[in-house]
Amino acid sequence: MKLTGAEIVIECLKEQGVDTVFGYPGGTILNVYDALYKHSEEIRHILTSHEQGAAHAADGYARATGKVGVCMATSGPGATNLVTGIATAYMDSVPMVAITANVAVSLLGKDSFQEIDIAGVTMPITKHNYIVKDVDKLAETLRRAFLIAKEGRPGPVLVDITKDVTANMAEYTPEKPFSVERSIYNIKNADLEKAAELINHAKKPFIFVGGGAVISDAARELKEFVDKVQAPVGDSLMGKGAFDGTDERYCGMLGMHGTKASNLGVTQCDLLVTVGARFSDRVVGNPSSFAKHAKVVQIDVDPAEINKNIVVDASVIGDVKEVLKRLNPMINAKDHSEWIAHIEELKQKFPLKYDKDVLTGPYIMEEIYRITNGDAIITTEVGQHQMWAAQYYKYKKPHTFITSGGLGTMGYGLGASLGAKMGKPDRTVFNIAGDGCFRMNMNEIATAVRYNIPIIQVVINNHVLGMVRQWQTLFYGKRYSHTVLNDAVDFVKLAEAMGAEGILVTKKEEVAPAIERAIAAGHPVVIECQIDSDDKVFPMVPAGESIEKAFDQDDLS
């Protein structure tokens, strides 16, 4: 059948099983929005307040569901406003397709109104991108974009379509989506055997879990692996929920704001098994002293990550779930009770702790955990509140902690919470923000109200840029250069002005009632929690130092 390019876009989205799109219309993409209007019962479109919010919402949708998130924008500033969201998805390996429209082919390269080479702009931050100038190639390009976004190590793909292509006619034949096979072609028996040999001979193994284990849905295989190896488990920010945070063998996050138990465990182990993690600088600290007594085994889908940041003794390349399926039968069940007991002593000696007498970020997170029984989806912005959310909420399942890890994008979480709630409408969704982050994209509260998306926005308001201030306090002689936000902004009134419910919390005893009220509300709620400006995230490792040098308030005192 003959269809316009715009109609082909919509039909291809339907082919791929897309039920929700986040975006913002404009001149060059009007044909696509006109076609979308006729299919509003099949594809729900969420009009965000800003294109960046659309990109973050598509990202959050993808992380919560495991499906490809989709966002759309017009040319020029519409397209460039997606860039931060695309880069965020790229750094954290999130499957996303961003569809933009550009000026007509005849106007390309002429500095036309709202013309931008968005394919060129996004080349370094996409897994692949396309500019479509021929309507006959449109359907094939879109189908391939979804395949590339999903296969192997996932990531964002941009498809830029000229406006004349959206108007031109072409023959369209429906097709089934490409089947996406798990990446197994690089899994070598020799690599599995070498890894198994090192694991079977280890006396003090430690298992480090990253985001790859979440992406591949390897939680069951990972638990079987841990049960056989009988080792303590730490995770990265992106790995949370892949291994049950309530398990007695779990000892917390690793790295700059990781627990002392995890950091010392890695430093003292004789074998570090890394499952779907890339040895980020925030995890490793000083590479020369990282896991200095250990041999290192790395399991990762991306060959480029092997020996990139840390030189390893063995590696297995492939989808984490598939690798563990093959590796588990090769592992002899072990009894490392003495080593586990030593790690337990470290956990007891160096627990996470905070001032219990006043209202703090950790207390708020513990109350959210208690009231939700750990069954909520938590999204975050970036900063101190993000670390408290990672440290004090126990993530029992994958896809329940959604945060910007690699790029560290302030303003990410609110849009991501909208996407997560759209993807998982039966789950309670909290976005945890600092006052600095919330200011960046707080206009998406209006989006939540427009569609009655009942997310719960918690603003941990310390009237400063908390994490930057923490660094200024510890390393910059308390020179608080442009980090104080002590102004007259009232977030409760702002919430109410946008149509949401606002709740102010200034005391510990007000936290639980506010959370319970927000969960019961059935509409968007903003909870502003006012804490002290000098609260800090501990433990902490100075940048570039060995992770065993993690310190806390007691060490400073």
Side-chain angles (χ1 to χ4, degrees):
M1 60 182 142
K2 284 269 190 182
L3 297 177
T4 66
E7 290 168 332
I8 289 171
V9 170
I10 304 306
E11 291 301 323
C12 284
L13 293 179
K14 288 161 57 179
E15 272 182 17
Q16 299 295 325
V18 174
D19 54 25
T20 307
V21 172
F22 306 89
Y24 206 98
T28 60
I29 203 168
L30 268 179
N31 291 331
V32 175
Y33 270 81
D34 191 53
L36 183 62
Y37 181 83
K38 302 165 190 172
H39 295 271
S40 57
E41 292 185 3
E42 298 154 285
I43 300 175
R44 185 173 189 185
H45 179 276
I46 301 299
L47 173 65
T48 54
S49 299
H50 191 285
E51 291 91 351
Q52 187 182 136
H56 294 326
D59 175 307
Y61 177 93
R63 296 198 209 207
T65 64
K67 300 195 292 185
V68 177
V70 179
C71 58
M72 300 197 306
T74 195
S75 63
T80 58
N81 281 343
L82 295 177
V83 168
T84 297
I86 292 170
T88 302
Y90 181 72
M91 290 291 283
D92 290 343
S93 304
V94 178
M96 187 167 85
V97 171
I99 298 171
T100 56
N102 214 323
V103 299
V105 171
S106 61
L107 295 174
L108 287 174
K110 296 181 179 180
D111 294 331
S112 305
F113 177 68
Q114 291 193 332
E115 180 197 358
I116 195 77
D117 177 13
I118 194 62
V121 168
T122 60
M123 190 173 293
I125 55 165
T126 49
K127 195 174 174 187
H128 199 76
N129 64 26
Y130 299 93
I131 179 165
V132 183
K133 304 177 186 178
D134 181 349
V135 69
D136 291 322
K137 296 179 180 177
L138 179 57
E140 176 192 354
T141 301
L142 285 166
R143 290 163 181 154
R144 186 148 294 278
F146 276 84
L147 174 64
I148 292 171
K150 289 185 285 188
E151 69 178 352
R153 181 176 183 169
V157 179
L158 178 128
V159 181
D160 191 35
I161 310 165
T162 60
K163 184 170 184 178
D164 49 338
V165 165
T166 67
N168 293 341
M169 304 287 289
E171 191 65 34
Y172 167 77
T173 304
E175 292 184 9
K176 290 184 178 179
F178 294 114
S179 61
V180 179
E181 304 296 331
R182 290 185 177 271
S183 183
I184 60 173
Y185 58 90
N186 275 327
I187 303 176
K188 305 288 193 300
N189 285 334
D191 293 341
L192 289 166
E193 289 167 3
K194 186 174 182 181
E197 182 182 5
L198 289 172
I199 294 165
N200 286 330
H201 284 87
K203 304 296 183 189
K204 297 188 294 182
F206 192 100
I207 298 169
F208 170 43
V209 180
V214 174
I215 293 167
S216 69
D217 288 314
R220 186 174 66 180
E221 291 76 13
L222 178 62
K223 184 180 184 305
E224 181 184 343
F225 180 70
V226 174
D227 288 344
K228 289 189 116 180
V229 179
Q230 274 302 310
V233 179
D235 54 20
S236 69
L237 192 68
M238 304 309 301
K240 295 210 156 288
F243 185 76
D244 186 349
T246 64
D247 190 287
E248 61 184 8
R249 292 161 298 190
Y250 178 70
C251 49
M253 192 164 63
L254 187 65
M256 180 174 283
H257 293 295
T259 63
K260 286 190 176 184
S262 281
N263 285 352
L264 291 171
V266 167
T267 303
Q268 296 170 7
C269 72
D270 66 1
L271 179 71
L272 178 63
V273 183
T274 301
V275 183
R278 60 185 178 86
F279 296 117
S280 156
D281 59 298
R282 285 296 174 103
V283 164
V284 168
N286 185 345
S288 65
S289 61
F290 181 75
K292 58 188 175 184
H293 302 298
K295 292 186 180 298
V296 179
V297 174
Q298 185 176 7
I299 299 168
D300 204 285
V301 73
D302 187 353
E305 294 297 345
I306 308 300
N307 294 321
K308 185 174 83 174
N309 295 326
I310 294 292
V311 176
V312 301
D313 298 276
S315 62
V316 186
I317 300 167
D319 179 87
V320 167
K321 188 182 186 80
E322 292 299 321
V323 170
L324 291 178
K325 277 183 181 178
R326 300 182 189 199
L327 187 59
N328 281 338
M330 304 169 71
I331 304 302
N332 302 327
K334 292 289 184 180
D335 178 9
H336 292 125
S337 53
E338 189 175 331
W339 169 236
I340 293 280
H342 171 67
I343 297 296
E344 186 59 35
E345 286 178 15
L346 293 177
K347 287 163 65 176
Q348 297 301 320
K349 185 178 179 181
F350 302 116
L352 292 171
K353 54 187 175 181
Y354 61 91
D355 187 347
K356 301 289 179 76
D357 295 328
V358 295
L359 178 61
T360 63
Y363 177 77
I364 294 163
M365 291 313 307
E366 286 189 335
E367 282 296 275
I368 294 173
Y369 175 77
R370 181 184 65 81
I371 292 167
T372 63
N373 194 33
D375 293 327
I377 292 175
I378 304 294
T379 68
T380 81
E381 309 293 345
V382 171
Q384 289 181 317
H385 60 277
Q386 176 191 33
M387 294 299 106
W388 290 325
Q391 292 173 328
Y392 290 94
Y393 194 99
K394 297 180 179 69
Y395 299 92
K396 299 182 286 187
K397 295 178 181 178
H399 307 291
T400 55
F401 182 59
I402 297 173
T403 192
S404 171
L407 197 63
T409 305
M410 293 175 70
Y412 165 79
L414 181 50
S417 72
L418 298 179
K421 185 65 178 177
M422 292 302 298
K424 294 288 184 179
D426 57 327
R427 303 292 292 275
T428 301
V429 178
F430 284 80
N431 181 51
I432 312 301
D435 48 322
C437 290
F438 184 59
R439 291 163 182 256
M440 290 195 169
N441 282 327
M442 62 187 176
N443 49 3
E444 298 305 339
I445 291 293
T447 306
V449 171
R450 182 186 300 120
Y451 297 100
N452 195 30
I453 305 171
I455 52 97
I456 301 167
Q457 169 67 64
V458 177
V459 182
I460 299 178
N461 185 3
N462 56 6
H463 300 284
V464 294
L465 299 178
M467 188 61 87
V468 186
R469 181 183 177 90
Q470 177 168 331
W471 279 65
Q472 288 172 331
T473 300
L474 296 173
F475 307 118
Y476 289 84
K478 298 185 179 181
R479 294 183 294 278
Y480 300 123
S481 179
H482 301 288
T483 51
V484 178
L485 306 175
N486 196 14
D487 50 30
V489 175
D490 185 328
F491 292 117
V492 171
K493 287 182 178 177
L494 274 169
E496 293 170 347
M498 288 188 277
E501 181 177 355
I503 304 172
L504 178 64
V505 170
T506 59
K507 303 182 184 114
K508 284 179 66 178
E509 54 267 28
E510 295 171 344
V511 173
I515 294 168
E516 289 163 352
R517 177 174 152 191
I519 291 172
H523 55 241
V525 177
V526 176
I527 306 173
E528 179 189 354
C529 301
Q530 295 188 354
I531 68 168
D532 189 87
S533 297
D534 283 310
D535 283 1
K536 295 179 179 61
V537 176
F538 287 120
M540 183 177 187
V541 179
E545 290 282 357
S546 170
I547 60 172
E548 65 185 311
K549 293 185 178 180
F551 65 89
D552 57 22
Q553 188 64 56
D554 289 345
D555 296 317
L556 288 178
S557 300

